Amino acid sequence: MRHGLSPIAMWNTVRLSIEAGFLVVPPGLLIGFLLERRRWLGRGFLSVTLWAVFLMPSYLLTSGWQILVAMPVLADSHISRLFYGEAGIVFLLTIKGLAFSAMSARTGWHVLGEDLEAASRMHVRTAWRRWWLIARLLFPIVGSMMMVQMVAASQDFGVAATLGAQVHLPLVSYVIYQNLSTIPVDFSRAALLSLFLVCLALLALGAQAMLGRSQAATIGGRQHRPVALSCRPVMLALAWLLTGSVFLAGVGAPQVALAVEGMSGPAVHGSLVDAGSWRAISLSLRYGFVSAVAAVLLAAIILGGRMRSGKGGAVLARLLLWLTSANMAVPGVILGASYLIAFNGGMLALYGTPMLLLLAYTASHLPVALRFLDAPFASLHRGLGEAARVHGLSLSERLEGIYLPLLIRPLSWAWAMVFITVFFELPLSEILYPAGTPPLAVRLLSLGISQHYEAQARVALVGMVTCLAVTCLGLVLVPFLAGPTDGTDTTFKADKANGR
């Protein structure tokens, strides 16, 4: 195979990422406005829908829409021809990017506080001029939304490996995987393409940082948060229409399609899924549980070190926090490629073992745990630990009586977030899984590529139900076993240490 870059895949990646970046802005801004500035009954349902879209793997989203478009009534329609092309890829990438874009937009609407609105109403008479002023103030947020979406779209492996491969539209993330999975393995070309994706992400994130500074300079000072107002009839109708569209496109339609397809086929030896699929689900459960526990423990150690009074420990903790956060700019397919190259021989020949997969899962999802636990740890006053040490409480007593009751729920939710993402992790699994023991994501992708949609739908449904059951059990059971979560026995332990 000739070494070098793939200009077609690079051009496709840049073009489609830019298109998805532009398309995500209007609905993202409107969703952020509805969540931050308006009070209506469907606001909670819209938030839950966004979380469901965010957590749903892109390859399952694609598979659900493929099943839906393959129905006889749509098989030869204009919708089908649009879906199996560039428009379908951009549509899926836009849906996947809505959740994060809406979060960014909500932050922007929050920054435009009550003071700015009052000033604009006082000094700007016409309504269209006030909206033009708001649009100019929101421009940094719009640019930030576009940059983040471009990075996410360029690094998405699920859509590239399913719909992109099926319509023969090469994208860089899938070309990297092809260079690592075909014989002869082309490490040089995979490395060059990985460098291209990293540089693209750095350029976009650099532009986002510049826009963030621009917004900070434009909107200075402390702003009062505006009161959420009730929706007028037209706005209320638009809100429900947008909520229904997001739910239908990102959750309802693909899930219903998977359910209908999964129930239409015959069972395998009296079971919904075969033995190989059960084994894949079991492996993903074990990988997800162990990796999530390891990632949460490491995140707690790093964030706990930041609370130390000594400068050395705090600086080291901040350095580790920055290094792990920088890992978020690297897509999973590149991380998988780097682990494959680094551990394919020499002293640490871990390739082809479950240990390497667990290591990659933990390292790649540690930033998620750090971001989730950053605020809860920051809310803990350093004086809690210092006062406990003064009163003679040991480290184990401080952990058990002070920190664990206050942090058990955030720790449980961080574990759940990492567990769900690892359970359905595709790029790392596809590159690093031991031969003959594919995790759930690899099993689902292979069934989809071979067009066994009925078996794929059944395995996906069973996997989602299993994942949801284990997650709910962990969220309920762990805080219950940990005891009270209000920290009320801290005073008791301090008094006990003083002999009172």
Side-chain angles (χ1 to χ4, degrees):
M1 182 179 295
R2 182 175 62 85
H3 299 294
L5 298 177
S6 178
I8 297 177
M10 294 167 61
W11 170 240
N12 289 338
T13 300
V14 173
R15 189 182 75 255
L16 299 186
S17 300
I18 292 175
E19 292 175 6
F22 275 104
L23 287 176
V24 83
V25 169
L29 280 176
L30 183 55
I31 291 173
F33 178 81
L34 290 171
L35 293 176
E36 186 67 23
R37 295 295 186 89
R38 290 296 179 263
R39 186 176 66 253
W40 53 294
L41 291 177
R43 190 164 60 171
F45 179 71
L46 178 57
S47 299
V48 172
T49 299
L50 291 174
W51 274 107
V53 173
F54 177 74
L55 292 175
M56 188 173 186
S58 57
Y59 61 89
L60 283 184
L61 177 67
T62 306
S63 298
W65 274 100
Q66 284 178 318
I67 294 171
L68 185 66
V69 174
M71 295 173 59
V73 68
L74 296 175
D76 296 324
S77 65
H78 186 61
I79 295 177
S80 177
R81 288 188 291 271
L82 283 175
F83 180 79
Y84 286 104
E86 181 177 324
I89 296 177
V90 174
F91 165 74
L92 294 170
L93 293 175
T94 303
I95 292 298
K96 276 300 296 178
L98 268 182
F100 194 86
S101 298
M103 296 176 196
S104 301
R106 187 171 184 178
T107 302
W109 286 110
H110 175 74
V111 170
L112 292 177
E114 187 176 3
D115 298 337
L116 280 173
E117 284 198 351
S120 65
R121 285 193 299 266
M122 181 180 298
H123 297 287
V124 182
R125 298 295 182 88
T126 57
W128 71 269
R129 282 184 174 274
R130 287 197 296 269
W131 280 108
W132 173 243
L133 176 62
I134 291 175
R136 291 175 62 186
L137 293 174
L138 284 174
F139 177 76
I141 283 291
V142 170
S144 178
M145 291 166 61
M146 290 182 59
M147 295 301 107
V148 173
Q149 171 65 356
M150 285 176 58
V151 173
S154 66
Q155 297 178 357
D156 191 282
F157 181 75
V159 176
T162 49
L163 186 58
Q166 187 172 351
V167 301
H168 306 292
L169 189 67
L171 298 171
V172 171
S173 59
Y174 189 65
V175 174
I176 294 172
Y177 164 72
Q178 286 180 314
N179 282 280
L180 295 174
S181 61
T182 56
I183 304 297
V185 177
D186 197 338
F187 289 114
S188 299
R189 193 178 186 188
L192 287 172
L193 292 172
S194 299
L195 183 61
F196 168 77
L197 275 188
V198 171
C199 291
L200 190 64
L202 291 177
L203 287 173
L205 294 177
Q208 180 199 9
M210 293 177 61
L211 290 169
R213 287 196 296 269
S214 173
Q215 185 190 33
T218 303
I219 307 172
R222 183 177 180 88
Q223 298 290 331
H224 293 91
R225 182 173 181 173
V227 178
L229 303 176
S230 299
C231 285
R232 294 180 180 179
V234 176
M235 180 61 70
L236 184 61
L238 181 61
W240 279 111
L241 178 63
L242 182 61
T243 302
S245 300
V246 174
F247 176 79
L248 184 66
V251 182
Q255 290 290 343
V256 169
L258 287 171
V260 172
E261 185 72 17
M263 297 301 138
S264 62
V268 181
H269 302 296
S271 176
L272 286 175
V273 299
D274 57 357
S277 299
W278 279 118
R279 185 164 56 250
I281 294 173
S282 175
L283 284 172
S284 291
L285 283 174
R286 283 177 278 175
Y287 287 148
F289 181 84
V290 174
S291 301
V293 170
V296 170
L297 286 178
L298 287 174
I301 292 172
I302 293 173
L303 295 172
R306 193 180 60 181
M307 298 171 56
R308 294 176 61 88
S309 57
K311 290 185 177 180
V315 171
L316 179 60
R318 289 190 179 94
L319 179 61
L320 290 173
L321 182 63
W322 182 85
L323 290 174
T324 52
S325 298
N327 192 33
M328 297 182 71
V330 183
V333 65
I334 297 179
L335 285 176
S338 62
Y339 276 97
L340 173 60
I341 296 172
F343 297 97
N344 198 29
M347 297 181 60
L348 295 175
L350 297 178
Y351 178 67
T353 65
M355 181 60 67
L356 182 59
L357 199 55
L358 287 172
L359 180 64
Y361 284 153
T362 303
S364 63
H365 291 81
L366 177 59
V368 177
L370 284 169
R371 284 286 174 257
F372 201 92
L373 293 173
D374 189 25
F377 271 82
S379 66
L380 294 179
H381 197 279
R382 187 175 296 173
L384 283 173
E386 295 176 352
R389 284 194 297 269
V390 169
H391 287 86
L393 270 70
S394 64
L395 177 61
S396 61
E397 289 177 323
R398 294 198 300 271
L399 291 175
E400 178 186 356
I402 300 176
Y403 296 119
L404 188 61
L406 295 174
L407 294 172
I408 187 62
R409 292 197 180 278
L411 289 170
S412 301
W413 279 101
W415 173 86
M417 181 71 68
V418 176
F419 172 75
I420 292 172
T421 52
V422 170
F423 187 80
F424 292 106
E425 171 66 39
L426 178 59
L428 287 174
S429 305
E430 187 69 39
I431 295 175
L432 299 177
Y433 78 92
T437 56
L440 175 62
V442 178
R443 179 69 174 173
L444 289 172
L445 182 64
S446 63
L447 290 172
I449 292 176
S450 59
Q451 297 184 357
H452 290 90
Y453 293 129
E454 294 179 357
Q456 182 194 33
R458 286 197 295 266
V459 175
L461 291 172
V462 173
M464 284 187 285
V465 171
T466 304
C467 178
L468 181 62
V470 173
T471 303
C472 293
L473 182 64
L475 290 174
V476 173
L477 193 61
V478 172
F480 175 77
L481 294 177
T485 59
D486 56 357
T488 52
D489 65 4
T490 303
T491 305
F492 169 76
K493 286 184 176 291
D495 292 342
K496 181 180 178 182
N498 286 330
R500 292 199 295 258

